[in-house]
Structure formats: structure tokens, C-alpha cells
Amino acid sequence: MRGVRRVLPLLATLAGIALFMRLGWWQYTKALQAEAAVALHAQRSHLPPATLDGRLVQASLAEAARFTVHGRYDAAQQFFIDNRQEHGVPGVHVITPLKIDGSETRLLVNRGWVGWPQGRGVLPQVPVPEGSVQVTGTAQAPSTKRPFLMPDRPEPSQRLWARVDLERYAAGTQQVVQPVLLLQDAGDAADGLVRNWPAPEDRSVKHRGYAWQWFGMAAALLLFHVVSAWRGR
């Protein structure tokens, strides 16, 4: 029994240290990812836009790159992203699929923000440009992660979504879809929509701070165990 009493605290200490080190490394990895995202955006935002056609791009390579695409908007499939605010005013983002010229491939275009003054019972009326259009903007790979501990809630309308879900759109329309969303440039169209796309926030310092806190807790636990064992002897 005496041997078990000595081993159990050691095992508990090792388990705690392993947990704290794992959490610290997780936060440190998030810091590196945040730095990489900021650097990538800064690098690609100054490059001239490339031409995007119907050939599917690789999302990781297209992320934060600027593109120009020609096609026709599909007004029947336009939908909105709920709970988007601009200077504290509630509204939605307008997502309109674009059929790329010379192909059957669709590209979802975030045309910008519009206010929602009439309440949730009536969706905003946003006209869609007709005919062939040229759209320029920045590619963004929508996150596939669901909000933590936030269950899916019924949407009041099939045209009102909680987030951009490319897989959902492709499954619902049976269409080939580019794996990125295009954030239309601010001055690309005179339609009254607000296109304010802030650069990625650099959260690397915050994540590094959390990482060192977890590493510090691991070190404190190890020190506590060493001191306790020394006093016991």
C-alpha cells in the first residue's frame, strides 16, 4: 500500500504536466497560425488580381489572393448571412452565386452588407445585376468549424443562413462550386452595399500569453511535486 501511495501522486503529477503542456502547445500553434494568416494577407493583398475561371482552385493557395472573374449572377439562388453588424447597425451579408463564363462552375460572391430595418419577418430586397458582369475581390476560405457549444438553431427562412457553407450550397443545388468565397472590392460596384473587409486580426500575442501560462502551470506542478517529495523524505 505504501508503494501505491507513492506512485499515485507521481502519476497524477505526470498526467497534469502532460495536460498543461498539451494545452500550451495548442495555444502556441494557434499563435503561429495567426502570424501566418496576417503575413499571408499582407503579402497577397498588394498583388494585382489574377483571372479566375471555371477550373477549381486549391483553397489554401487561393486564400487572401485577389481575383477577377467574369460571369452571370444567379439571382434565384441569392441568400443572406444573418447577424452581421456595421457600426452597431444590424444587417446581413448578401451572398450571390456567379456562374463563371465558359463553365458550369459557380463562385459564391459576398457582395457586401445591407441593413435590415424591417425586422426579421421581412428579408431585405437586394437587386441583382443582370447580364454579364466582371467582379474583382479577395478570396476567402470559409471556416468549416461550427461554433463551440452552440447548437444549430432553425433558420426562419431558407434564404437566411447562419454562415457560409460551401458544402451545403453544393449539395442543395447539385452544382460545382469553387472552394472559396469572393469578398467583392469596395469600389467594384455602385449598388449601395457596404463592403468593409478588415484585415485579419493579429492575435498571436494573446495566444502566446495563454501558451506561457499553461507552460508555467506545468512547471509549477512539477516544482510542487519535487518539493512535496523532498519534504516527505
Side-chain angles (χ1 to χ4, degrees), residues 78-83 91-94 114-127 155-161:
Q78 178 169 277
F79 61 95
F80 306 97
I81 303 301
D82 195 6
N83 196 26
V92 294
H93 279 178
V94 182
V114 65
W116 198 356
Q118 294 180 306
R120 302 186 65 82
V122 181
L123 289 175
Q125 297 297 316
V126 182
E155 295 163 344
S157 169
Q158 292 182 352
R159 297 177 60 201
L160 185 65
W161 295 18

Side-chain angles (χ1 to χ4, degrees), residues 168-177:
R168 172 183 174 182
Y169 178 83
T173 60
Q174 298 299 309
Q175 295 170 347
V176 179
V177 184

Side-chain angles (χ1 to χ4, degrees), residues 3 7 17 28 31-32 60 66 76 91 102 111 116 136 147-148 154 157 172 174-175 190 208 211 214 221 232:
V7 171
I17 291 174
Y28 185 74
L32 296 179
S60 59
R66 301 186 66 246
R111 296 172 52 211
W116 198 356
T136 300
F148 184 63
S157 169
Q174 298 299 309
Q175 295 170 347
R208 275 199 171 87
W214 288 117
L221 182 60

Side-chain angles (χ1 to χ4, degrees), residues 87-107:
H87 300 297
V89 179
V92 294
H93 279 178
V94 182
I95 311 297
T96 312
L98 182 78
K99 181 179 179 295
I100 301 175
D101 282 350
S103 74
E104 293 298 322
T105 304
R106 265 63 172 182
L107 171 68

Side-chain angles (χ1 to χ4, degrees), residues 3-4 12 25 37 44 47 61 70 83 95-96 98 119 123 134 139 151 170 172 174 198-199 205 209:
V4 174
W25 181 251
R44 293 182 173 177
L47 297 176
L61 298 180
H70 297 82
N83 196 26
I95 311 297
T96 312
L98 182 78
L123 289 175
Q134 173 182 300
Q174 298 299 309
V205 175

Side-chain angles (χ1 to χ4, degrees), residues 14-80:
L14 293 177
I17 291 174
L19 175 62
F20 293 150
M21 292 296 293
R22 179 67 183 87
L23 291 172
W25 181 251
W26 172 60
Q27 287 291 344
Y28 185 74
T29 302
K30 292 185 68 175
L32 296 179
Q33 293 173 346
E35 283 184 342
V38 171
L40 183 66
H41 186 275
Q43 176 188 10
R44 293 182 173 177
S45 61
H46 298 291
L47 297 176
T51 300
L52 183 65
D53 55 27
R55 293 171 294 182
L56 297 184
V57 299
Q58 187 173 337
S60 59
L61 298 180
E63 175 71 29
R66 301 186 66 246
F67 291 99
T68 293
V69 57
H70 297 82
R72 293 176 180 268
Y73 282 124
D74 185 356
Q77 296 295 334
Q78 178 169 277
F79 61 95
F80 306 97

